[in-house]
């Protein structure tokens, strides 16, 4: 069982995870228009991963006897600048999501909601990985700058990103 307040906040987070998925799909389309299929693929895989973050939280709310309230999803931007700028925005977004997860954890701790603390721990760990993955791409992007052959090499490398493995049940 979760509190009314926790239910509201988890539903808010479901919406943010949906937005993440939506934004990465928009970024994927944008990378396609830049002629960077590897970047587009990476973003498409990120979209799939975010979709799983959505349903994991959705299942948790329902499993706790709560109600799911799906809200409208903000429209993402159409353009994201250079490949470096795309990943800078990605990092900023993930840092924002990390701060939201931490706020949720603060609430679970203040409510002594042990089940939700355990549930959220998965997202805390996941966010460390999300930020690290983006930083790993930002480093070579900063190094190559505008060099086209350097960009093509990064495009090829990140184009090999594997599809996310299905998440275990809560
Ligand atoms: Fe759901 O982790 Fe990214 O946003």
């Amino acid at each position: 069982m979760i509190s009314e307040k926790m239910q509201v906040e988890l539903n808010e987070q479901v919406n943010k995870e949906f937005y993440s998925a939506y934004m990465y799909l928009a970024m994927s389309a944008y990378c396609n228009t830049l002629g960077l299929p590897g970047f587009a693929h990476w973003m498409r895989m990120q979209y799939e991963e975010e979709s799983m973050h959505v349903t994991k939280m959705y299942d948790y709310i329902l499993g706790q006897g709560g109600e799911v309230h799906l809200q409208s999803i903000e429209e993402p931007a159409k353009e994201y600048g250079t490949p470096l700028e795309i990943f800078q925005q990605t990092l900023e977004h993930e840092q924002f999501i990390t701060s939201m997860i931490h706020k949720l954890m603060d609430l679970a701790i203040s409510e002594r909601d042990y089940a939700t603390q355990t549930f959220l721990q998965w997202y805390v760990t996941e966010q460390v990985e999300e930020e690290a993955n983006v930083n790993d791409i930002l480093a070579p992007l900063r190094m190559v700058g505008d060099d086209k052959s350097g960009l093509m090499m990064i495009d090829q490398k990140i184009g090999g990103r594997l599809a996310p493995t299905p998440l275990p049940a809560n």
Side-chain angles (χ1 to χ4, degrees):
M1 191 192 155
I2 49 175
S3 70
E4 186 72 29
K5 181 159 176 53
M6 183 58 79
Q7 178 178 297
V8 168
E9 297 303 325
L10 288 173
N11 271 293
E12 281 290 329
Q13 189 63 31
V14 166
N15 185 263
K16 291 192 175 73
E17 299 289 343
F18 258 127
Y19 175 76
S20 299
Y22 220 30
M23 183 187 80
Y24 290 125
L25 195 58
M27 283 181 167
S28 179
Y30 176 69
C31 290
N32 260 307
T33 65
L34 292 185
L36 293 167
F39 280 75
H41 171 80
W42 193 95
M43 287 297 171
R44 177 70 175 250
M45 293 302 102
Q46 190 64 21
Y47 156 77
E48 306 233 337
E49 194 160 317
E50 296 298 347
S51 303
M52 296 196 307
H53 295 175
V54 169
T55 44
K56 187 174 177 70
M57 200 162 280
Y58 167 101
D59 287 341
Y60 180 73
I61 297 169
L62 291 180
Q64 287 290 306
E67 282 177 26
V68 168
H69 296 146
L70 296 180
Q71 303 157 33
S72 45
I73 307 164
E74 192 188 325
E75 183 180 333
K78 271 208 283 219
E79 296 185 1
Y80 297 91
T82 64
L84 176 61
E85 286 165 344
I86 296 168
F87 272 88
Q88 281 168 336
Q89 290 165 81
T90 298
L91 182 62
E92 272 168 32
H93 180 71
E94 288 307 325
Q95 287 168 337
F96 166 70
I97 293 295
T98 299
S99 73
M100 291 296 102
I101 296 293
H102 291 178
K103 272 194 185 160
L104 276 170
M105 184 63 106
D106 287 343
L107 176 64
I109 290 168
S110 74
E111 291 189 350
R112 305 181 74 184
D113 177 346
Y114 303 114
T116 305
Q117 287 176 44
T118 303
F119 170 71
L120 288 173
Q121 188 56 53
W122 184 89
Y123 284 85
V124 171
T125 308
E126 176 70 5
Q127 284 308 119
V128 172
E129 196 185 301
E130 294 271 87
E131 289 188 29
N133 290 343
V134 178
N135 275 319
D136 282 350
I137 297 169
L138 270 172
L141 275 175
R142 286 196 188 98
M143 229 153 35
V144 302
D146 289 336
D147 178 65
K148 292 245 181 319
S149 59
L151 275 178
M152 293 323 285
M153 271 170 64
I154 297 172
D155 188 66
Q156 227 177 16
K157 179 151 188 272
I158 70 175
R161 179 177 177 178
L162 299 175
T165 38
L167 297 178
N170 295 317

